[in-house]
Amino acid sequence: MKKKNLPLKEIFLEDERFRISYYFSLEKLILSIQKVGLLNPPLVALRDKHFILVLGWKRVLACIKLSLSSIPVFVLEEEDDLKTFLAVFYENLATREFSLLEKAEILRMLKKFGEEEKSIVKHYLPLLNIPSALSNLESYLAFSQLEPEVKKAIHQKDIPFSSVKLLVGFTHQERKLLLPLLLPAGQNKLKGILEDLKEISRRNDTNPKKILSSKEILDITGSEKLSPLQKTDKVRLILRKKRYPVLSLREESFDSLLKKLRLPKTVKVKPSQFFEEENFTVNFSFENSEELKANLLKLQELSSKKEFSSIFKFK
Amino acid sequence: MTKSKYIPQKVFVEKRSFDFPLTKRILKNVGSVPSEVIDDSKELLEDIKASKDAIGAGKKYLLITRQRGEFVKPCPCTPGYLGCNYFILNIDLNCPLDCTYCILQHYLTNPLITVHVNLEDLWRQLDIFLQRKKHRAIRIGTGELGDSLALDHITENSMDLISYFRKKRNAIFELKTKTVNIKNILKIEPAPNVIIAWSLNSLRIARVEEKGAPSVEERIDAARRVSERGFRIAFHFDPIIRHPDWEEGYKEVIKKLLSTIDPARIAWISLGSLRFPPSLKGIIEERFPRTKIIYDEFVKGKDGKLRYFKPLRLELYKKIAGFIKDWGREKVPIYFCMESEGVWSEALGWIPKGKENLELYLSSPLGLSVT
């Protein structure tokens, strides 16, 4: 491996065959280069008379931002792409954690450069903290094929494996419809939307696009009055009712019974989770003994009312 | 997999398991199936696990090994629900059948069909276990981590087990199967404390979701033959699965069952609705992409497993228990597997006072001698 000074314009950045990272911030690195210079030269290799970048995308892009004309580089004298890529892989493996999308890129490249699937499953998946199973390799390879805007959302929202796996199950068009609903959602809501949509469509032998294009959902997504988060919440609710009709109906009946009972605002009556257990919980808060007594009195009055006994039908 | 008797593509024998009599018997019974002696199964397991469908791939191979731990274990049941004090006997692991809902897909880390051949250790452990429990009736069976009879034409274990338990009068021993592999059972003298049980389902679920298993009609016919031979028999409607026309589907099977078999010969019928740990759902989706059974209204129960929303479970249980009561002339003990006291009370009208009470309810009609 030789070290040399290379004009930045001589690095052929269009060739991204060894690039595994796409989403990063350059600010701190730019500051570091400004203060102390480029301490670790990037690694390049010669392909078709071009110097292509093997390792150090962040460093090179930072140097371009700083308008440097040339930088020190190491030139790797290796012609085999797989062996060259392994330099990228092991150097990064030793120094940092990979994101989900980086793992997907690594696995895609190992396969592209000729590593056998069996060997990838056996040797590389454990190194990436992925359980050794062909199905996992297939999942990650599918992740690497996702559209750039979806990948960007995965990176920005740090979407976990289970939700990305759900995303992969939808078509490109469906993901396009889903993306505006997913961006404002937290992790649980996001997973819930994807899971419910997939399961409703499988159960009802319909396709997700048809569900997302239904009038009730289009009315929400097309509304100018609702914020993106409100749209997400409303669509989530519609999907949940479709996915769990009996449970949703029971929850609604319970809520409407509570409304009829006119409980004090400070008192909350809750069933067990999913009405699975036979008990109910009463919660109230108080600031002094008068409030405590008033709440207890109200509860005593309520418990003797005929309507209150209807609550036990929800056991 | 076919509905005929299971024959592995290859038998792997761990070196230290080669000299056991059961190993010799298995190798004789598999005939021309190739076999290989291996130092240990680690590498083989790694290879199988790297395949696209490790669970399906594992079913093609039979591994002969030794049980290094305990053969007898209490049935884990499930936290927060009423148990029945059952004990499980782990001789075979895994099952050549390929049911969509099978919990073993999630539970076992070893996908190979595995037989433990150190039977001397089994008998010794059982002697100690039954001696310790001599003051109570014990219900014990082999059908938890594998089908009790699916490998019986290869292992012939049923005959040894029945002969052993015949003399243990404080134990009720149950063999639980979906197969019609009863040749050995019909050869041996029945024992009053040995129960041969079948898992049943609606015809549709059996046909679509129980790949490799004989039809329900064949199972009922096998049960009839075993009953006529003099064995007590039992049935497990587990998992009960909601599907279009489920009510008619289960009614049809129960009518057929209780008009074919004398209800007085039935030791018990258990009911359990489909339930599974959330992680099994992904496995089922991967392995059975066309199934719809996992997309019903499941909610997380007290044990963290997904089960039908309670009103749906109650509807299933009330109907099915009603069919059994009607056609069984109220003679057949019914119990729930892994259900809450609320469900017992509402669906059957009574609640066992703890698992010992349930154990007594199921074992006392069999007239065991407990010292």
Side-chain angles (χ1 to χ4, degrees), chain A residues 117-118 121-122 132-136 138-139 165-166 195 198-205 242-248 250-251 272-278 314-315, chain B residues 43 46-47 49-53 81 242 281-282 285-286 289 291-292 294-302 307-314 339-343 346:
Chain A
E117 278 192 350
K118 209 172 173 180
V121 171
K122 209 168 171 178
S132 283
L134 188 60
S135 58
N136 286 330
E138 287 177 346
S139 294
K165 206 172 166 192
L166 285 164
E195 219 162 40
K198 178 190 85 175
E199 295 184 358
I200 296 162
S201 62
R202 289 199 181 173
R203 186 190 62 196
N204 299 355
D205 277 330
K242 281 184 193 288
R243 175 67 186 85
Y244 298 98
V246 183
L247 173 65
S248 300
R250 181 154 286 226
E251 283 170 343
S272 61
Q273 197 186 19
F274 306 121
F275 303 91
E276 182 63 20
E277 295 186 52
E278 279 74 47
F314 288 90
K315 283 209 297 186
Chain B
E43 206 171 317
E46 272 180 16
D47 276 351
K49 282 181 184 174
S51 53
K52 185 170 167 61
D53 173 19
Y81 295 88
R242 276 164 41 94
K281 195 168 164 183
E285 283 180 326
E286 290 266 347
T291 192
K292 289 182 180 179
I294 48 177
Y295 303 128
D296 208 324
E297 287 198 57
F298 292 98
V299 295
K300 225 173 220 183
K302 289 180 261 185
R307 46 185 71 221
Y308 291 120
F309 180 40
K310 198 160 79 177
L312 303 178
R313 299 210 305 277
L314 280 168
E339 265 306 347
S340 65
E341 290 188 352
V343 168
E346 201 160 330

Side-chain angles (χ1 to χ4, degrees), chain A residues 170 178 181-182 189-201 203-204 207-208 210-214 216-217 220 231-245 248:
Chain A
F170 295 97
L178 274 166
L181 294 170
L182 301 181
K189 218 176 272 180
L190 185 146
K191 192 177 179 192
I193 290 172
L194 295 174
E195 219 162 40
D196 286 351
L197 182 61
K198 178 190 85 175
E199 295 184 358
I200 296 162
S201 62
R203 186 190 62 196
N204 299 355
N207 64 57
K210 208 169 172 183
I211 298 168
L212 291 171
S213 310
S214 65
E216 57 181 336
I217 290 186
I220 294 167
K231 289 179 186 180
T232 300
D233 286 341
K234 283 188 180 292
V235 171
R236 165 92 178 101
L237 198 64
I238 288 176
L239 292 175
R240 192 165 188 276
K241 279 185 185 175
K242 281 184 193 288
R243 175 67 186 85
Y244 298 98
S248 300

